[in-house]
Amino acid sequence: VLWLMAAKEKWTRQNDVAGARVILEEAFAANAHSEAIVLAAVKLESETRQDARALALLERARASEFAGHAGTRGTARVWMKSAVLMRQLGRPADALAVAREGGALFPNFYKLWLVQAQLQPPQDARQTLSRALKACPRAPELWISAARLEFAGPQRNLARARAILERARVYVPRSPVLWLEAVLMEAEESDSVARALLARALQECPHAGVLWATAIVLEPRAQRKARSVDALKHAEAHDPEVTVAVARLFWAEHRVEKARAWFERAVRADTDYGDAWAWWLRFEREQREPDPSSIAAVEEACGRAEPRHGRYWQRAAKDPDNAWLPVAEILHKTAELLATTRQL
């Protein structure tokens, strides 16, 4: 851990890439079988666009044994990072081949199945996800991917997607993300059906902030304030998704200072929740007279926080076209995605 901390200090704070590389080389010499050190070195090389170095490190790692993985080539994370980097570099065929080989070695690592499905046409992806769910039936992400596959495109099949998510909840009960996916799909067709399903979801997951935030958004305008009071009462304390939903209510009512205070409260509650930063940026940008200093302040604070999570943040950050964008640009990409969501 100390090696990694020292390397990060050199790279991110002192902007000394060569110095960070030397530290990681020394760390590798002392800990030749450490997955964390190898992946840190790969991250350094890939983010500084030394792509050949990163690929060479990963190729060597895939042929090596690591601590805790005796008798196998590489680790699941090494194989996954290899596939993801190849995809980012515009080599989808190589990425798919690596994901398949890694998946055969580590069939219980659901992310390798997801990478395969993302690189395949729909019919092949459907078969891959079917096999994946037999190997990893308790991975909500796989069920969600399978349901989205059925719901995508002009021929979207809500009945089939609904059946997949109902089966998913048998294998993974009390999963807020599975309930959320089902509710949002139903909302595409009928708010009343979505609200009824959401009521069932809240019975099973009574403290899930993501479900309470969705409940606020799905309510008719006249009931939203009362629903927000319920959400603040029942969700976990300082839940950032509920806090963002309340901020959006104040925004819709043109109560600018109240909205700003609640957006600030949301990012303080969880600096890693990228969607909160993106909603705050949209709020500042869409004022009648946008203040450049307020927009810059959000960008700078988000850059320092370096968020990693959020439904829409991850969608922007994991898009191969955005692979090497700085945090500020991911922030703007996420804000653009939020424009496609239901507005209050």
Side-chain angles (χ1 to χ4, degrees), residues 8-306:
K8 185 176 182 179
E9 174 73 17
K10 279 285 186 183
W11 176 21
T12 61
R13 296 187 183 277
Q14 300 178 24
N15 199 30
D16 183 357
V17 174
R21 185 177 290 127
V22 168
I23 290 172
L24 289 172
E25 287 171 352
E26 293 173 354
F28 186 74
N31 304 270
H33 302 292
S34 169
E35 176 194 61
I37 290 172
V38 168
L39 291 179
V42 170
K43 181 177 181 179
L44 174 68
E45 303 298 356
S46 66
E47 293 196 6
T48 55
R49 297 314 312 268
Q50 297 297 315
D51 300 332
R53 283 177 176 267
L55 289 170
L57 284 169
L58 286 167
E59 184 176 6
R60 185 171 66 182
R62 293 196 302 274
S64 304
E65 287 189 7
F66 286 84
H69 297 82
T72 59
R73 292 181 292 115
T75 68
R77 292 179 66 208
V78 163
W79 284 91
M80 184 190 70
K81 180 60 182 176
S82 300
V84 168
L85 181 58
M86 289 176 181
R87 182 186 183 189
Q88 291 171 343
L89 293 174
R91 296 169 52 181
D94 292 337
L96 180 56
V98 165
R100 281 175 171 161
E101 190 174 354
L105 291 170
F106 302 96
N108 296 323
F109 190 71
Y110 79 87
K111 291 183 180 180
L112 281 165
W113 291 105
L114 275 182
V115 171
Q116 291 179 61
Q118 291 164 0
L119 289 163
Q120 293 174 315
Q123 190 55 44
D124 292 344
R126 189 174 286 113
Q127 294 174 6
T128 293
L129 289 169
S130 178
R131 294 194 302 273
L133 287 168
K134 292 175 183 176
C136 311
R138 289 177 174 77
E141 295 85 354
L142 291 175
W143 292 102
I144 289 171
S145 185
R148 287 180 181 175
L149 189 61
E150 302 301 337
F151 199 61
Q155 305 299 320
R156 64 186 187 184
N157 190 328
L158 176 58
R160 185 174 292 177
R162 183 187 293 133
I164 289 171
L165 291 172
E166 287 174 351
R167 188 178 175 205
R169 295 196 297 271
V170 173
Y171 282 94
V172 195
R174 294 178 294 281
S175 169
V177 293
L178 286 175
W179 280 109
L180 175 66
E181 194 69 26
V183 167
L184 293 180
M185 285 186 180
E186 296 292 354
E188 292 281 323
E189 304 291 335
S190 167
D191 278 0
S192 61
V193 172
R195 286 196 294 269
L197 186 64
L198 185 54
R200 290 174 51 202
L202 286 168
Q203 287 180 341
E204 189 166 298
C205 308
H207 305 298
V210 66
L211 296 178
W212 280 110
T214 304
I216 295 170
V217 173
L218 288 180
E219 283 293 330
R221 184 181 298 274
Q223 279 79 52
R224 285 175 185 159
K225 186 173 182 179
R227 201 57 160 160
S228 70
V229 172
D230 291 339
L232 290 168
K233 179 179 178 182
H234 295 292
E236 293 181 3
H238 311 297
D239 182 274
E241 300 198 49
V242 170
T243 307
V244 165
V246 173
R248 292 175 62 197
L249 281 183
F250 284 126
W251 180 12
E253 295 171 356
H254 308 290
R255 299 173 67 181
V256 173
E257 293 306 319
K258 275 277 192 181
R260 183 174 289 119
W262 278 80
F263 280 124
E264 187 175 354
R265 184 181 298 186
V267 299
R268 283 204 312 266
D270 184 359
T271 58
D272 193 48
Y273 180 51
D275 290 5
W277 292 103
W279 275 116
W280 190 4
L281 177 70
R282 281 201 69 216
F283 164 77
E284 297 293 357
R285 287 196 320 200
E286 294 183 18
Q287 294 306 302
R288 183 171 301 174
E289 295 182 3
D291 179 2
S293 64
S294 296
I295 293 171
V298 174
E299 292 172 336
E300 291 168 10
C302 182
R304 291 192 299 271
E306 296 185 338

